Amino acid sequence: MFGYAESVATRNTVMSSIRQTIEASYSKPTVSIKIHDEPENGGPKYYTTGDRIEGEVSIVASSDVRFDEVSIAFEGTSRTWLEKFGASPATSGRTSMTNTFLRTVQPVDETKLPIPRVVTPGQTVTLPFTFVVPASLLPDTCKHTVENSSVEAAHLRLPPSLGDLAALGGIDDQAPDMAHISYAIRARVTRRKDTAAHALTLASHAHRVLISPAAPAAPPLHIAAAGTDPDFTLHKEKDLRRGLLGRKLGRLSATAQQPAPLHVALASPCPATTTVPVTLTFAAADWTTPPPPLDTLTTKLRTATFFATTRTPYLPTPSRSQRDLSVGCYWESTLLSARSIGAVGAWKLATSASGTPPSRPLYTADLIVPVTAPKGKALVPSFASCYIARSYLLELTLGVRTGKHSQPTVTLKVPLQVAQLPVETEEVGVEEFFTPRSVAPPPEMDAPAYSRVGEGTGTGWPLHMRAHAARLPPPPGYSVYGGGQVAVAVPIPHDFVGISPGCG
């Protein structure tokens, strides 16, 4: 028989074995993710279309942990919530939505995993990863019914990060709590169980990243006739009087044109700028009435964020979202400038086409209103996804002086598109349109393979790419330089916006 001491030793051994088995069953490893090119000062780091996100996943454990698989994925998730107010409590309340619209899985190198699949104390399992930011989503991401193909094309573009910028040390992107788009590198350590249908997640860690994909400029919006569009006002007229009950001086009209897109650039230290052309017309009551002096011009940027908990089949607008109870809209207004234009705007007397003086004097004035991206605000490119959308609006308020204490104003509402130019990188480069290049035959090719004009067929290359084809006209969008031998693409100046003062 065993003695008392032997019984105690045996019991301790058994209990220790049971304890180790329980700890091994419930112990969890620690997962950390490091991205190589993140700034050391903790500032925000943006990734755009075509950028590589490279890093490594590290797995450590304080005790032996058995696992079966490690998955590393690049995920994009949108979250929204909406308060509904109904006639009864049953139709009221908050609804929320979480949708993972992007998930790219990194294949794991099996040779870097331990054999057997056990992480021991003091051991670090390191797994590298590389992801490339895509330009668009897969077609099955947007499978719901939409109004037209333009809506589907907009929904399949990669949306930018929204609501994550301030949390990651950046500036305000004017996103409400009801709309959130985030991207993350997520690593999971799992173990299969015979009694469970799904694998058991031992540890999971997500490292958030900021994504701002390239957003090309879209065509100008189609706006209904003056006074009939509920969202925009490009033309406004107003009768002017001297004082509240004074005589009528004339009729003032203001007409604005849609500005060029506001092109934001991630690598540029200069704020994005554009201009809004405005034409003023004053039809005086008689020849003795001069045009009113121009006083002030105030420019405001209004940012609209649309959000829904169900897929939206159309591109949201402020007026349409008001009629649709399933879509919410959050507005934020930012003052861009308030300036005196008395010395800038000069009235000119318009003459008729026939040269004869009109029955009433007509004065005109042309203004170029500069628009610069506000400081302390991050302008997310305009986009529309299945659940979240962002658009911008410019409010131009023009004031004229008709009396000592009278200053009537005219307000225009102009749509503004925020686009983002692609970043020049070795992997992706800029669009072919913006890069001058030679399309002459490569020098290593034999000259006889490309016949002169009128000599042989030369079926290997198009006519404008054959050698010595100087007499042929260049293809569309190209100009001929260097004695007429090489055709290069010439960037069109009007596609580039101006540079704000102080950028050099």
Side-chain angles (χ1 to χ4, degrees), residues 54-142:
E54 300 178 326
E56 59 186 21
V57 174
S58 300
I59 305 173
V60 297
S62 58
S63 60
D64 292 349
V65 177
R66 183 180 66 84
F67 68 96
D68 292 313
E69 295 179 355
V70 178
S71 65
I72 307 173
F74 175 43
E75 298 179 348
T77 306
S78 58
R79 301 181 183 88
T80 61
W81 61 266
L82 183 65
E83 290 283 359
K84 292 185 177 180
F85 302 95
S88 62
T91 59
S92 303
R94 174 180 296 187
T95 58
S96 60
M97 180 281 312
T98 300
N99 175 50
T100 300
F101 55 85
L102 174 68
R103 191 172 192 271
T104 305
V105 180
Q106 165 79 47
V108 176
D109 188 359
E110 297 289 340
T111 61
K112 296 184 178 298
L113 297 177
I115 300 177
R117 297 289 193 265
V118 177
V119 182
T120 59
Q123 179 187 15
T124 301
V125 179
T126 303
L127 303 173
F129 63 83
T130 300
F131 294 100
V132 178
V133 180
S136 59
L137 303 175
L138 295 177
D140 60 354
T141 306
C142 179

Side-chain angles (χ1 to χ4, degrees), residues 23-35:
E23 290 179 354
S25 301
Y26 290 96
S27 59
K28 296 182 178 180
T30 301
V31 180
S32 60
I33 300 175
K34 179 182 179 182
I35 298 179

Side-chain angles (χ1 to χ4, degrees), residues 443-483:
E444 63 270 12
M445 305 295 288
D446 294 332
Y450 309 96
S451 60
R452 296 175 180 268
V453 178
E455 298 180 5
T457 59
T459 57
W461 291 83
L463 288 177
H464 64 272
M465 299 179 67
R466 298 178 192 171
H468 310 291
R471 292 187 297 273
L472 294 177
Y478 286 72
S479 297
V480 178
Y481 287 92

Side-chain angles (χ1 to χ4, degrees), residues 140-152:
D140 60 354
T141 306
C142 179
K143 297 186 296 184
H144 63 99
T145 304
V146 294
E147 285 188 347
N148 49 58
S149 59
S150 299
V151 178
E152 182 180 6

Side-chain angles (χ1 to χ4, degrees), residues 197-255:
H198 302 283
L200 175 65
T201 301
L202 300 178
S204 178
H205 179 67
H207 186 94
R208 288 189 295 179
V209 293
L210 292 175
I211 303 297
S212 184
L221 296 179
H222 173 71
I223 299 178
T228 60
D229 195 288
D231 299 313
F232 308 108
T233 305
L234 297 183
H235 180 81
K236 191 71 173 291
E237 297 184 3
K238 188 173 187 178
D239 290 332
L240 301 184
R241 297 182 178 275
R242 189 176 300 279
L244 183 61
L245 301 176
R247 70 179 184 90
K248 182 179 178 180
L249 301 178
R251 189 168 183 83
L252 175 68
S253 65
T255 304

Side-chain angles (χ1 to χ4, degrees), residues 356-377:
T356 58
S359 58
R360 292 192 308 169
L362 184 67
Y363 300 91
T364 61
D366 295 325
L367 302 177
I368 302 297
V369 183
V371 177
T372 305
K375 295 182 179 180
K377 301 286 185 180

